[in-house]
Amino acid sequence: MKPEHVEEFFKRLQAQRPNPTTELLYHSPFELLIAVILSAQMTDVGVNKATAKLFAVANTPESILALGVEGLKEYISNVNFYTAKANNIIKTCQILIDLHGSQVPDDRKALEALAGVGRKTANVVLNTAFGHPTMAVDTHIFRVSNRTGLAPAKTVEGVEKKLLEVVPEPYLTNAHHWILLHGRYTCKARVPLCAQCIVADLCQWPDKYEFGAAEGMAHLKSLTLKT
């Protein structure tokens, strides 16, 4: 995708969602961290169902640690791999208490040293809780970046690196959310909604016309003519 098209790509996504954010429900950096750990191979809806029950009774490292692994599992049993995640969360709570004064660190190295926290989770926390211009590349972002030609690469790390190179600075902080939400609701995996896509004309995907891109592009043109 050409630089001028990348600029327009994010200009439109910004107009569509001026204040994008995660759909995980949280009220503190710690709650966000726990929610993101639980979100691996889970929908946000499923995680929110679990954390609504959990955070009502325990939403600090000390209170979750007091539950223990077995107690925590009772609240997150609807989450995939809940036993492994419960073990990681308990370990993470202990580390936060012992090394960080019960606070979530605003530092990549410290975050990735927590149990159950990899680069993607660290990127989400750094971006959403602390406003860092990071790119947490999940399946949606990987798909959209490759399909549209925005930042094509064969690996998650490659997509992350390219996005940080091509996304214009004014859009960096929110770019992760815009791309993710576009992938979740429009540029879907099996049946993308190209007829409704606000960036269909900028997209480089050769198969987009099979999914109604021409209709979407005509609609965009009519809107431009009206303005």
Side-chain angles (χ1 to χ4, degrees):
M1 192 179 293
K2 296 179 180 179
E4 60 269 27
H5 290 169
V6 174
E7 177 87 28
E8 181 64 20
F9 183 92
F10 285 103
K11 181 180 178 181
R12 294 183 194 176
L13 294 185
Q14 181 184 52
Q16 183 183 46
R17 295 185 175 93
N19 299 297
T21 189
T22 179
E23 294 184 327
L24 293 171
L25 300 179
Y26 71 99
H27 297 94
S28 69
F30 177 72
E31 287 189 358
L32 175 64
L33 172 64
I34 299 305
V36 179
I37 291 174
L38 292 173
S39 71
Q41 299 187 51
M42 272 295 295
T43 64
D44 287 356
V45 172
V47 172
N48 290 337
K49 181 179 179 180
T51 56
K53 297 183 294 181
L54 173 63
F55 294 157
V57 299
N59 67 344
T60 65
E62 290 82 1
S63 57
I64 288 184
L65 188 62
L67 292 175
V69 171
E70 294 305 316
L72 176 57
K73 284 164 61 175
E74 294 181 12
Y75 291 97
I76 64 171
S77 59
N78 69 299
V79 174
N80 293 336
F81 311 110
Y82 67 92
T83 297
K85 290 176 181 178
N87 278 291
N88 282 332
I89 288 171
I90 292 298
K91 291 175 183 176
T92 279
C93 288
Q94 190 67 66
I95 295 171
L96 291 176
I97 293 168
D98 293 344
L99 301 182
H100 302 290
S102 299
Q103 300 300 306
V104 176
D106 181 6
D107 175 80
R108 176 183 299 284
K109 185 176 180 180
L111 283 169
E112 292 186 10
L114 300 173
V117 177
R119 185 173 183 85
K120 186 182 78 171
T121 297
N123 277 337
V124 173
V125 174
L126 288 170
N127 178 268
T128 305
F130 301 114
H132 290 218
T134 59
M135 295 290 173
V137 180
D138 67 352
T139 56
H140 296 301
I141 294 176
F142 186 81
R143 178 178 66 255
V144 173
S145 296
N146 276 286
R147 180 183 278 170
T148 64
L150 175 64
K154 294 182 179 180
T155 66
V156 167
E157 293 79 8
V159 168
E160 179 183 342
K161 181 180 178 181
K162 282 199 174 184
L163 284 172
L164 291 172
E165 292 172 353
V166 304
V167 177
E169 193 278 333
Y171 301 105
L172 268 174
T173 301
N174 288 323
H176 152 254
H177 296 297
W178 282 320
I179 302 170
L180 186 155
L181 293 171
H182 187 67
R184 180 174 292 169
Y185 295 112
T186 303
C187 196
K188 300 180 180 183
R190 294 184 179 180
V191 186
L193 306 181
C194 298
Q196 302 172 25
C197 181
I198 62 171
V199 291
D201 56 324
L202 306 175
C203 177
Q204 302 299 302
W205 190 40
D207 296 335
K208 64 184 180 180
Y209 296 103
E210 296 180 19
F211 294 91
E215 179 184 341
M217 291 162 67
H219 178 63
L220 287 170
K221 185 175 181 180
S222 69
L223 291 177
T224 303
L225 290 174
K226 289 178 182 178
T227 57

